[in-house]
Amino acid sequence: MVMNETRDDDNQGSRLSRQAARQQAMTRMIMTEGSVRIEQLAETFDVSIMTVHRDLDELESRGLLRKSRGVATAMPTALVESSDVYRSNREAVEKESIALAALELIEPGQAIMIDDSTTAMHMVPHLRARRPLTVITNTLTIMDQLRDAPGISLIGIGGKYFNWCSSYMGRLATTMISSMRADVCIMSTAAITDDIAFHQDLDTVDVKQAMFAASAQRILLADHTKFTRRALHTLFPLSDFDAVVVDWRTPLAQISHLREMGVKVIVAPRRQAAAR
């Protein structure tokens, strides 16, 4: 009886894993195309129309898309732009270059906090080059990638799980963060306005501010698009960071302006995106 229950649990876990992977791929396809017919999704993923409807209903409930008249359409909202699925597909080459440049600021033996930014996630496959390390993160995706990495001690920050960014946030998360002291904090931002970093989600802001306060050195990763976007909630002035790492497409006037303010700006050179 116990063996049958275990087998049932394994089968359910496998089914949920396939469902999650399919929904992620489906979301990427819709966000890339803008809109896709439901029949096309069923054919592409070799599932029934009913299965596609169930997947789309869940994705629609997360604010990632809209389902109407047999078509799934991407939603250009602040929540979508916050989504890890959406962000992971944008400026990939620039983010890889920024991540590799930031990696040079990490020393073996350090304890580093990493937030839920997709730019920081580009660092994760390269962290083995800096081991031994202690990595502290609230991001489930990073935990999955590092859970069996030799030479890396992983500390997962818990709390309320937010599916749209694959991260734990809320009071439990910020309380846990405040009980630690890290050597370095690696974070990104949604927008930079008037030399200040902003983010559109208040829960995310709370976690980023807690990580900032709990770290001795703070490094901001910001690709060039962040300087043309706007968001609601204030994070920190760029001058509060020990280093701001940008990509080669950032306007020279912007870089010069920040350096005149005393901000340490590191410009990541163009590199070929690494195989993921």
Side-chain angles (χ1 to χ4, degrees):
M1 182 67 176
V2 174
M3 291 181 62
N4 288 337
E5 290 178 354
T6 301
R7 190 178 299 112
D8 289 343
D9 289 343
D10 290 343
N11 290 337
Q12 183 179 9
S14 178
R15 182 183 64 80
L16 292 175
S17 178
R18 291 195 304 271
Q19 181 186 50
R22 185 179 63 248
Q23 289 180 358
Q24 187 176 54
M26 196 176 290
T27 305
R28 287 197 182 100
M29 180 177 177
I30 295 167
M31 287 181 176
T32 299
E33 300 293 332
S35 63
V36 182
R37 294 196 62 81
I38 290 175
E39 291 86 350
Q40 182 181 349
L41 291 169
E43 181 179 351
T44 299
F45 296 99
D46 192 25
V47 293
S48 68
I49 294 290
M50 188 62 67
T51 297
V52 173
H53 276 288
R54 284 196 295 266
D55 286 341
L56 294 179
D57 286 341
E58 180 172 342
L59 294 171
E60 187 174 37
S61 72
R62 293 166 58 186
L64 296 175
L65 52 84
R66 180 180 60 197
K67 187 180 71 169
S68 177
R69 297 181 181 179
V71 176
T73 305
M75 294 288 289
T77 64
L79 182 59
V80 169
E81 292 189 0
S82 296
S83 166
D84 59 326
V85 175
Y86 177 88
R87 290 178 290 136
S88 64
N89 292 315
R90 301 180 64 85
E91 287 76 48
V93 175
E94 290 87 342
K95 290 176 180 179
E96 181 79 7
S97 297
I98 290 172
L100 290 171
L103 189 70
E104 299 299 321
L105 303 176
I106 304 298
E107 298 292 338
Q110 288 184 324
I112 62 173
M113 284 191 176
I114 304 180
D115 73 351
D116 67 346
S117 67
T118 55
T119 308
M121 289 180 198
H122 279 261
M123 292 183 65
V124 175
H126 307 288
L127 289 177
R128 292 169 176 81
R130 289 291 187 269
R131 60 189 177 189
L133 286 174
T134 296
V135 176
I136 307 162
T137 184
N138 67 317
T139 307
L140 184 58
T141 307
I142 296 177
M143 295 180 201
D144 285 341
Q145 292 185 39
L146 295 180
R147 60 184 178 181
D148 59 352
I152 294 181
S153 177
L154 177 64
I155 298 177
I157 297 168
K160 181 179 179 181
Y161 181 72
F162 288 77
N163 200 18
W164 59 265
C165 60
S166 185
S167 299
Y168 296 93
M169 296 189 286
R171 182 175 297 179
L172 288 174
T174 55
T175 299
M176 183 175 179
I177 293 169
S178 66
S179 69
M180 294 182 281
R181 289 296 179 270
D183 296 300
V184 184
C185 173
I186 305 290
M187 71 170 61
S188 187
T189 185
I192 296 174
T193 305
D194 298 329
D195 308 319
I196 299 172
F198 285 80
H199 201 280
Q200 63 268 25
D201 182 76
L202 193 56
D203 289 307
T204 304
V205 168
D206 289 342
V207 170
K208 288 178 184 285
Q209 290 180 339
M211 287 183 168
F212 189 97
S215 302
Q217 183 181 11
R218 296 90 172 216
I219 300 171
L220 180 69
L221 314 181
D223 68 73
H224 65 283
T225 66
K226 304 301 172 62
F227 292 91
T228 60
R229 296 179 182 174
R230 302 186 69 86
L232 182 61
H233 302 290
T234 303
L235 274 171
F236 305 100
L238 299 194
S239 55
D240 285 0
F241 290 91
D242 295 280
V244 176
V245 186
V246 300
D247 65 75
W248 73 95
R249 296 180 64 186
T250 306
L252 291 176
Q254 183 67 66
I255 295 170
S256 298
H257 168 70
L258 291 177
R259 286 174 172 167
E260 288 173 2
M261 291 175 51
V263 178
K264 179 180 179 180
V265 181
I266 298 173
V267 181
R270 181 169 189 167
R271 309 174 194 245
Q272 191 66 32
R276 312 249 357 127

